[in-house]
Every structure is written in structure tokens, then in C-alpha cells.
Amino acid sequence: MLERPTLRTPRAYPAPVSTWGLSALWMALAVTAAVPAHAGDAIFADDFERGDLAAWSQAVGGPPISPCVEGPTLDLQLEGSIAPAPPGPFTEVTCLSMHNDRPFERRRDTANSGISLSRGLGLTSAERLVLVGPNGRRLSAQFDVLSRWGGPLDDDSLPIRWLGVSVQPAVAPESRAVYALRLYDDEPPPPVDLYAATVGPAAGGFEVDTGVATFTLDPTNPALLTRIEIAPLDDGVGRQTVYAHSPGAGPAMAFDPGSGEINLGTGVPGQVVVDPGSFEIVEDGPVKVVASLRGHFSAPGGGSLCTAVTPAYERFGYTAVFTFHRASRDVDLQFQFRNECSDAAAPPWRDDSVEVRDASWRWPFEGTVPAPRTAFHGGGGPLVSSSAGFDGVTVVEQRKGAGNPWQRRARVTRDGADLETGTAFEAPFVAVQGGGFLAALQMPWIRFREPQALAVDGATLEARSISETTRIGEGKGVWSQQRLHLASQQLTAPLGGPEAWLEDRRVRGRAALERGLLVHGPPDHLDSSALFAPIAGSPAVSAPEAYYRASLDFIHQETLRPGGQWDRNRTFGSQLWPDIQLDPFSAAPTPADNAVRSNYWNPLGAELWEWLRTGEPAWAWDFALPQAWHHAFANFLNLGHASHGNRNGFSVAGTGTGEGDWNRNGNLSSDDYNYNMGMQLAYTLRPNLALRHRFDQAGLTARDRYSIPWSQQGDREPFVSAVDLSRGVIQHFEHLANCAEFSPGQRGRDCHDRLMELATELMADNASSGVLCGGDLPDFAAPCSTPQQFMLNSHIYHFFHRLYLNYGDLGGALRRALVETPRAFYQYGIPKGPDGVSIDIAAPWPNGMDCTLTTGGGAVVGCTGWTGGEPTYLENFPQTVSLLLMAHDLDPSADLCGVARDALESLTTAGALDGYLWDGAGWWKGSAQMMQGLVFAPGLAETCADP
């Protein structure tokens, strides 16, 4: 197991590249002599710990082996061990770990995440990168540029900031595998990878080959995937057709506009159409190929049209994102279904809801899996097979809950008759066998996302994202994922036959979907990359760090556990799970009564920060990643790529109740409840094309909404186009920053240009004194009023900190503001103890300040704290202290280390914050505010020093 760092490398701006020594220290290997960057005598970590350096050096020939590598060996091309590590000089960038917290070994599962790279590394392309595993073997690895330092993604002259890494590791049960990421001085020769995932042209489209299967894509077909051919065995020899597109395959839906049900699908030409220009191949191997398209459903006679704006347009949109994995026959599919109807400008936000009975993806195997067939299903227990020759309908469903008291309901039916009932099934699964082939289908998290179902109808498998009539809110989407498993009967023999193979796929497929392997860089490497404030800390766990860890874990468990927040508030539903509450004492008798609060105060960000610190899968998968996808695809106004109105991609209301109308309060028109700071982390942690599409659209909405130039700022409208430091504006600019950083092409360039324009204006208008001031039009004769302290702590400061670390000082004002704003609040706002220096955590703190400026606004003369009707709440004190430490990290002459460290110690050891940690409350406004950004405070306090 990995250990905490044994020391922390001081950080410079910009930071240098991590070196061999840092990687080894992260593994707690005490190297007494300096290790050169172009190492030639590296060894296995376990042998080095035995002190057997000389014997090992004599025994091993060829390229050096990194001391950071650990985990099971990968001996076969099939498993991704493709060649010896290349010879020649290299620098080890970092060690990358993959944590498997399941009780079984993971092999041939694709692990993928983004990792940080420092600006100082100066790496503009990934051609010289190699991933090295056990026995000094080069692994099949895929590197995708996710963002670049200081400019748009498409500027390939800029260094890489976030790098997507994909690999298929071998990870023992409940342990980690660790591999070495090397940067060679010269580009190594390309390896021969017999099982590389590749994509190339084919008649009428494209062909993806994974070494054991071939997939044909037709970009004009609404189902995209038109043929699958698989090799009978893992040797990859030969191909047999197991799936061929037929009418009715792919997307389907049914709804009732009030005049009778309308069923739409690919069985009738024109009912499902591909959006022009929507086809993308976004990743092209060797570990995975990702392709997508978007489309719309169209009812004859205009029954599916949205008339909220003129001209009318089709309301039902979908996005399909296919992922094909190296050495795999599996198909992963994200299917996002949307009600895109809204004027996107003003309330009410409920008048364009619609009743939908079915939204599904269908996989017909009638032509390739012949009768007699056997159907399989998995509900609450082991797999069950039908009698040979059964050709009916089997459904495994999480139904809408019901009853008084309300409870969840799950069932398995065969031809309409109940076979099994329960509250929720942990691992629903369906399959069909015939003609020597097996096809199986599963979806993650069905137990939370009612009403959803899996079905096998004859030889057709169906993933039903909506399985019974449901109200789909205005501008809402239903996000879903699925995995299709395929095999020949010969391939199942080593596991004991078809049923044993299917049960194995059921377990391992669920792990891949709900607990996918992630690639984690050590916190010291993240710190040296200087993307964020440092989080690594020191080897010893301080009292503040222990309190932070315990509090975060307690909040997390109280959200998820039986009887916790989700259970108490019935947070279950395809447009509801996994959101959170405003009130810690709330309890909703049914999901319809649940007044969720749309990722209120960004708890998903708090959990993803902790994943960056520890690499523990729970911080990504239990709550944060599903919450990010729910936030983007259901809570945000989701009109696909429509451009009307000024809200597409934004939150339009903080709350709302009633089926489908969660986060769609009928009359509220506030769009400042996005709290979307964690979305960049969700994307970099698990790069996701559908999520990037939301970045694209929200960024363009922000670009167009804030289009009145600086020279005409007097023409701007408050709450719409004003450029100030209010929480709504900065939340919108966070969208703009995500688009500027991660979106390719003209979209990303447009977002980048507008972001630089607006940020430069804010620095000149709002930060010229060194303190961040509110308002749009500067009036240096009047007092400068800072934003509310709780919002400055939680959102505004972090946004500007992100800009500074990525884009620089923006005219020389940004770094000063990041240092002086917290320092001024300490000097003029925070109450002091009797010594006039120490921070008094028992006294009320102001909620902002009015500062007098010098003529021209170049400096602060003095400030007076104000409450604005209420003081800063106690749950915001840790955030404020965290900002003091972040300011000190930027400029130690701020002299804030000691006072901030003492205040943090007092806050976390005296029980002052325990009142925000109620049993069963979990993530709510108070706990989320308390934990926001607190990940930085313990490490900074442990390692800072006053001049």
C-alpha cells in the first residue's frame, strides 16, 4: 500500500517538474543518495526495501525498472504488456496509482483519468511519454491532451496542463497497482500492440477494431453502431457477426401529448434523425476509442414540436457516446435523453414539462442469435435462466416507489407475471443465449434511479432509461449508462460455461460501471504542478487534518448510509438522485415532496478534492461523479446545443418540488445557484464527452450573455449582463472558464477570448486597490464594498485563484488581490484576542467590509466590517482561515501563517464546528460551506512558516 509523503517539496511559481527523488519519497522509499533524472540503476521497490541493491543490479539487464512500480505482473499482450521499456535517457515524471477497493482482482479493466502536469515541464505533446509496469515492461497506454497552460486547448504550442491517461492495469483485490510515467529525451519507436483499439474508414462510415472484435459505425444512422463481429476466442483470430442493425435498433421513446400515445423509433424512417455535423470521434486509441452523435425524435404531424419559441423545434433530443475498449468485446454507451423545450429566458420553469412513458436503447439480436434461445435475468439473487426456447419478455425493473409510508419497489416479470419482488436490486442484469453466442446488458445505479429497467424481449435487449410514465421537467435530461457484453460459447468454458461467465460479467461489469478504475497522481506531484493550492501536508497528521478527515467522512456516510439523508428525503429518481438538501432536518415523505438544492455549496467539489488527495475510490464514485453528471444533465437547463434565450447550461432555480420539477421552481428566476466549481474536477477526473458538450454550451451562453463591451458598460443590465463580483456572475464565469480550458476548436477559443476580456476588466475595475470590490461601474470616491465574505470564501476567491495559476497576473493586479483581500479582512474585519494579533473565534465576524480607497483607487486607506443583516456564520470560519493560508502561500511576507494556524487549531479541536454535523444530515448548506476549500488548510498550516 502507498504511504503518505515523507516530505513536502517547496513550491515555486511556476513549479518545476517532479523528479525521481519526489516519486520515490512518495512511495516512502528512503533513498540516501541523489537519484539522477536519467536513471540507470533503478530497481523493484520490494527488493530495494530488502536492501538487495547489488544483487538486483547484477541480475537485471536491459532498461532500468522504476522503484515506484508495484502490483501483479502483466505477462501477455492481451493484458497490455506490449514490450520491454524503451532504452535511452528519460525523466520519470511521476508514479501513477490505481486503487481497486473491490474484493476481486481487476484485469483488462480500463482505468482512465486526467493527471496534472506542471507548466515547467514544458511538454506540448505526449509522443515521448511511456507508462512502465512490473518487470520493466512497457504498457499499452493512451494519452489525451485535456487542457493547456495559459490558453485554449487547440494551441499546441502551449504546455499540457491536464493529461488524460488510459491504461488496463492488473490490480489485486483491495489494493493498488503503481506504474511509472516516463518522459524520454527522444521519441521511442512505436510498439507493436496486437490488441490496440484502432479506428479507420469503412464503407459508409468507420470501423473500430479492438483486437478481439470489430464494430462498424454509420454516422448517418441514428443508432450509429450497425454491425459487431467478434473473435470466438481471445486469440483474436477470425470474426463472426453477432449483431447487425435492423429497424427498431437504437434509440426509442414513447410519450402522450394529450391526444394519445406516440411511439417513436428507428423502425419508421424519419422518426429519429441525426443532427447534422454531430458525429465525433473524440478518442482514437490505443486503449479506447470514443465516438458519439446527437439526434432528435420527430413525431409525424408535429406532435413532438416545442412551441416555446419561434420557429418551433423538436423537443426530444438525445446524445449517444460509445466507448470501445482495447482487447474487449464490450460496448459502453452513455445515452442522454432530453426534453429540450424551454424559452430559456424567464419563468415559469414548469410549463414545458412533458409526460414520457419510455426512453430506451434497443439491441436486437434476432438475426444473429437464432432460436431456440435462453433468456437470463439477475434481480436480487443469482442469475436465473428461462426454459430453453422461451421467446417472451423478461423485465428487471426499479419501479416508481409507492405506498404509505412510501418505499422503493423492484420486480422481475416474465410475460407480465411477477417472478421476484423487492425494495431494490443491487446488480440487475439480463442476457440472451443462442446459436453459440451470448449477449448481456446492464446499467449502473438502477436501484436509485427509478423508473428504470432492463429487458430481454425474444432476442432483443433493452436498456430503459425511463421505464414507466414519468414527468420530464422543462429543459431536463435523464442521464444513463449501459454496458453490452458479448461472447462466444467457447469463450465461457474456462469459467465453467455460459451461466458462470454471465455471473462473472455481472459482477465485473458492475464494478467497471459503478467503481471504474481511476488513475491517481500523488499529492506531492499535484502540488508541484501548481494547478491549485497545496494539499499534501506533512507526514504527521495534525489535529486540524484529523478533524477535517473525520468530518468529511462523517458527512459522506451520513448522506449515503441506510437511514441517512437520501433515505430520509426519498432522494430516488432519474431526475433526482443523487442531489442534496438545504435543511439538515428535512424529511420528505415521497420523492415528489423533496425540495432538493442542486449541489448546494458544491459538496461534489469537496469530495473530489479529497480524491485528489488520497485516491480513494469512494470519494469519486459514492457520490461526487454521479452528482456531477446529474448536475450537468438534469439540474442545469439542458437544451442540447440550442442557442436561444440566455440560460442554456445554467441553473434556473434553486429548488422546486413535484415529479420532474425538482430544481424548477415555477416562479423563481435566479440563475445563481449553479455552485459548479467542482465540475472541472469531475471532468478531469473522468473525462467525459457528454459533460464536455455541456461545458461547450454553458460557456457559449456566458460568452453571449456578457457581450456588451467594457467601453459600453453603462448599457449593461443588472442581474443579466453586469460584470461584477456577485455570486451569480462569477458562477457564470466559472462556466466560461471550463469552456475556455477544455473545449476544442472555435468554441474553446471564443470562450478563452471572452474570459480574458472580462477578467482583465474585473481586475481594472474591481481590484485596482488590491482588495476585491463589488459593483460594475467603479466609483473610487465611494467606499469599496467587498462581496459577502461567505461567497468570497467559497467561490469568488477560488475562481480568481484558478485564473491566476493558469493565466498569470492579468495586468499585475490579480496576485496582489489574492494576497491583499484576505490580509485586509484579517487586519480590519476579523476580531482579535487581547494581544491584538491572535484571531478570536468566539466573537462575531463581519460578513464583508467597506473600504476607503486612495484617490484613483490605487490602495486601501482603511476598512470597516459590516454584517449586511447577519454576521459571517461559524461554518464559514474555516473557509476564511483557509483563505488566509492560501494568501500566505502566494506571499509569505503576508505574515498570516501563525495566526491562521492557531485559529484553525482552535476551530477544529474545541468542538466549535460539531454543531454542523448532525446524525443523518449529511451534505446540507452548513456542512458544505464548512468543508468548501478546507482541503487546503491542514496541509498549508502544517508546512507554512512566517518570515
Side-chain angles (χ1 to χ4, degrees):
M1 297 294 289
L2 302 185
E3 300 175 14
R4 291 175 54 80
T6 57
L7 64 83
R8 183 171 172 272
T9 300
R11 189 169 72 150
Y13 297 91
V17 61
S18 299
T19 65
W20 263 81
L22 180 58
S23 299
L25 285 168
W26 176 61
M27 287 297 299
L29 302 175
V31 180
T32 57
V35 183
H38 296 171
D41 295 316
I43 54 167
F44 278 122
D46 53 356
D47 286 272
F48 184 68
E49 289 171 341
R50 291 196 301 267
D52 201 12
L53 174 58
W56 192 225
S57 298
Q58 293 172 4
V60 175
I65 299 168
S66 170
C68 80
V69 173
E70 71 174 45
T73 59
L74 296 102
D75 298 321
L76 306 172
Q77 270 265 350
L78 182 68
E79 295 179 329
S81 178
I82 55 177
F90 63 88
T91 297
E92 186 161 288
V93 178
T94 189
C95 302
L96 299 178
S97 68
M98 288 128 285
H99 186 182
N100 171 26
D101 64 352
R102 304 294 88 177
F104 47 83
E105 186 179 54
R106 309 277 287 271
R107 285 182 184 262
R108 294 171 63 185
D109 265 9
T110 299
N112 73 284
S113 300
I115 65 164
S116 61
L117 296 180
S118 73
R119 193 194 311 262
L121 183 60
L123 187 66
T124 58
S125 70
E127 279 77 8
R128 293 184 289 126
L129 290 173
V130 171
L131 200 60
V132 176
N135 292 338
R137 297 286 295 178
R138 182 175 186 174
L139 304 180
S140 181
Q142 182 168 322
F143 304 108
D144 296 293
V145 180
L146 303 179
S147 74
R148 296 181 181 274
W149 283 99
L153 176 61
D154 282 3
D155 187 347
D156 58 12
S157 69
L158 297 174
I160 299 169
R161 190 168 190 258
W162 283 106
L163 178 74
V165 178
S166 300
V167 65
Q168 293 178 323
V171 196
E174 299 176 335
S175 67
R176 299 177 191 248
V178 188
Y179 301 150
L181 180 65
R182 293 180 179 177
L183 175 62
Y184 280 80
D185 287 11
D186 299 308
E187 183 177 344
V192 176
D193 185 353
L194 301 178
Y195 294 90
T198 61
V199 60
F206 297 86
E207 186 175 271
V208 177
D209 195 304
T210 66
V212 295
T214 306
F215 306 89
T216 303
L217 311 180
D218 178 359
T220 67
N221 190 315
L224 184 59
L225 181 55
T226 58
R227 181 173 296 275
I228 304 174
E229 299 166 292
I230 68 172
L233 296 173
D234 276 338
D235 57 13
V237 176
R239 294 291 190 272
Q240 295 175 286
T241 299
V242 68
Y243 173 85
H245 179 83
S246 60
M253 68 158 297
F255 75 108
D256 188 346
S259 55
E261 184 169 287
I262 297 175
N263 288 272
L264 302 175
T266 62
V268 178
Q271 288 189 353
V272 191
V273 295
V274 174
D275 293 350
S278 69
F279 174 73
E280 294 180 74
I281 294 177
V282 68
E283 296 183 44
D284 59 0
V287 176
K288 56 191 173 79
V289 171
V290 179
S292 81
L293 56 66
R294 301 185 304 274
H296 282 82
F297 296 89
S298 180
S304 55
L305 290 175
C306 173
T307 58
V309 297
T310 302
Y313 63 93
E314 294 292 351
R315 76 157 68 217
F316 296 116
Y318 74 94
T319 298
V321 182
F322 291 84
T323 301
F324 308 96
H325 301 270
R326 178 192 180 281
S328 175
R329 300 166 184 82
D330 294 346
V331 181
D332 284 348
L333 172 61
Q334 294 181 59
F335 175 52
Q336 316 294 358
F337 173 82
R338 299 179 292 276
N339 167 24
E340 296 181 355
C341 190
S342 176
D343 65 8
W349 300 109
R350 295 178 176 175
D351 55 336
D352 286 313
S353 298
V354 65
E355 300 283 331
V356 175
R357 182 188 62 78
D358 173 72
S360 59
W361 196 276
R362 298 174 180 173
W363 302 90
F365 289 90
E366 275 81 3
T368 52
V369 180
R373 291 180 284 259
T374 302
F376 298 85
H377 73 264
L383 284 179
V384 177
S385 63
S386 69
S387 57
F390 174 75
D391 221 31
V393 181
T394 304
V395 180
V396 184
E397 181 179 18
Q398 189 70 41
R399 307 176 63 193
K400 284 186 178 181
N404 187 14
W406 182 95
Q407 64 178 3
R408 289 189 280 171
R409 300 186 299 168
R411 67 179 178 182
V412 179
T413 62
R414 181 173 292 164
D415 285 344
D418 286 354
L419 294 183
E420 182 183 359
T421 60
T423 303
F425 299 144
E426 291 293 317
F429 192 84
V430 294
V432 63
Q433 176 189 4
F437 293 111
L438 295 93
L441 192 63
Q442 62 188 142
M443 297 170 67
W445 298 301
I446 288 181
R447 60 195 178 280
F448 299 126
R449 312 206 64 241
E450 61 178 53
Q452 293 190 345
L454 294 165
V456 52
D457 181 355
T460 295
L461 302 180
E462 299 180 14
R464 299 177 180 176
S465 301
I466 301 171
S467 59
E468 60 181 298
T469 301
T470 301
R471 181 180 175 90
I472 307 298
E474 178 174 334
K476 274 183 170 282
V478 174
W479 60 277
S480 65
Q481 297 168 282
Q482 57 192 270
R483 172 165 285 197
L484 177 71
H485 304 269
L486 299 169
S488 67
Q489 190 161 329
Q490 300 114 288
L491 192 68
T492 71
L495 284 175
E499 291 195 38
W501 183 87
L502 289 171
E503 191 65 71
D504 181 74
R505 293 299 92 194
R506 182 187 184 191
V507 171
R508 295 181 182 279
R510 181 186 173 195
L513 291 168
E514 296 188 4
R515 216 70 172 185
L517 293 173
L518 301 167
V519 181
H520 182 254
D524 272 1
H525 170 76
L526 180 69
D527 288 355
S528 71
S529 299
L531 273 72
F532 311 106
I535 62 174
S538 67
V541 177
S542 65
E545 182 176 352
Y547 187 87
Y548 158 76
R549 289 187 186 184
S551 298
L552 190 65
D553 187 66
F554 180 81
I555 294 166
H556 177 92
Q557 297 300 334
E558 291 302 300
T559 303
L560 278 61
R561 70 168 175 82
Q565 188 199 101
W566 285 348
D567 272 359
R568 192 178 63 251
N569 288 284
R570 317 301 189 192
T571 311
F572 307 112
S574 60
Q575 301 161 78
L576 180 58
W577 183 83
D579 226 317
I580 65 156
Q581 307 305 128
L582 165 66
D583 182 352
F585 303 112
S586 63
T590 73
D593 300 302
N594 189 334
V596 292
R597 290 304 294 228
S598 188
N599 191 42
Y600 205 46
W601 287 99
N602 189 36
L604 78 86
E607 297 219 353
L608 291 181
W609 283 120
E610 184 63 1
W611 182 86
L612 284 173
R613 197 178 71 83
T614 68
E616 296 292 334
W619 299 117
W621 288 113
D622 283 359
F623 168 78
L625 283 179
Q627 172 72 352
W629 301 330
H630 175 68
H631 200 30
F633 303 130
N635 288 354
F636 289 165
L637 194 69
N638 195 343
L639 311 186
H641 285 256
S643 59
H644 63 272
N646 63 3
R647 305 291 182 91
N648 190 4
F650 292 0
S651 172
V652 293
T655 186
T657 57
E659 182 180 88
D661 289 329
W662 301 288
N663 308 118
R664 293 294 183 268
N665 182 297
N667 298 311
L668 182 66
S669 190
S670 173
D671 59 7
D672 67 347
Y673 285 97
N674 290 302
Y675 299 98
N676 60 328
M677 291 173 57
M679 301 302 281
Q680 63 154 323
L681 300 178
Y683 179 75
T684 55
L685 171 58
R686 196 69 165 179
N688 179 314
L689 179 62
L691 183 56
R692 201 206 72 206
H693 284 165
R694 303 311 299 142
F695 286 0
D696 295 349
Q697 186 53 54
L700 296 186
T701 298
R703 178 203 66 179
D704 294 341
R705 181 159 164 169
Y706 296 94
S707 60
I708 299 175
W710 191 2
S711 60
Q712 300 172 26
Q713 59 183 318
D715 297 332
R716 293 168 177 164
E717 183 179 350
F719 308 112
V720 177
S721 54
V723 178
D724 57 26
L725 294 185
S726 67
R727 65 184 188 182
V729 170
I730 300 302
Q731 287 170 14
H732 298 163
F733 288 5
E734 187 82 22
H735 284 301
L736 194 61
N738 288 338
C739 174
E741 184 170 352
F742 300 113
S743 296
Q746 190 62 46
R747 291 184 300 266
R749 294 191 293 272
D750 286 350
C751 289
H752 169 78
D753 292 347
R754 185 55 48 83
L755 178 66
M756 293 298 97
E757 171 190 329
L758 295 169
T760 301
E761 174 185 339
L762 281 171
M763 289 302 97
D765 278 4
N766 298 76
S768 62
S769 67
V771 171
L772 293 171
C773 303
D776 187 2
L777 291 169
D779 183 359
F780 298 125
C784 153
S785 293
T786 66
Q788 292 173 296
Q789 191 64 36
F790 73 93
M791 185 54 67
L792 187 70
N793 292 347
S794 303
H795 190 79
I796 295 174
Y797 186 93
H798 292 279
F799 170 75
F800 285 114
H801 195 263
R802 172 186 182 180
L803 291 190
Y804 169 67
L805 293 180
N806 192 4
Y807 299 105
D809 210 6
L810 298 181
L814 182 48
R815 183 176 183 275
R816 181 186 177 204
L818 291 169
V819 174
E820 293 300 324
T821 302
R823 182 157 61 179
F825 192 69
Y826 166 73
Q827 182 177 357
Y828 299 110
I830 295 178
K832 310 298 190 299
D835 60 4
V837 176
S838 61
I839 292 174
D840 186 351
I841 66 168
W845 293 11
N847 198 21
M849 298 187 300
D850 289 328
C851 298
T852 302
L853 309 182
T854 58
T855 302
V860 172
V861 175
C863 303
T864 303
W866 50 267
T867 63
E870 58 188 16
T872 295
Y873 290 132
L874 180 60
E875 67 260 35
N876 301 125
F877 285 17
Q879 298 173 323
T880 306
V881 172
S882 182
L883 258 59
L884 300 181
L885 290 163
M886 291 173 70
H888 184 92
D889 178 63
L890 291 173
D891 182 2
S893 70
D895 204 21
L896 295 171
C897 171
V899 293
R901 184 173 55 214
D902 292 345
L904 186 67
E905 185 93 12
S906 297
L907 283 168
T908 54
T909 59
L913 303 172
D914 292 352
Y916 298 94
L917 305 176
W918 284 286
D919 287 349
W923 283 116
W924 65 284
K925 179 181 180 181
S927 61
Q929 284 187 353
M930 184 177 77
M931 302 306 297
Q932 196 59 245
L934 192 58
V935 66
F936 303 114
L940 288 171
E942 291 164 10
T943 56
C944 69
D946 286 321

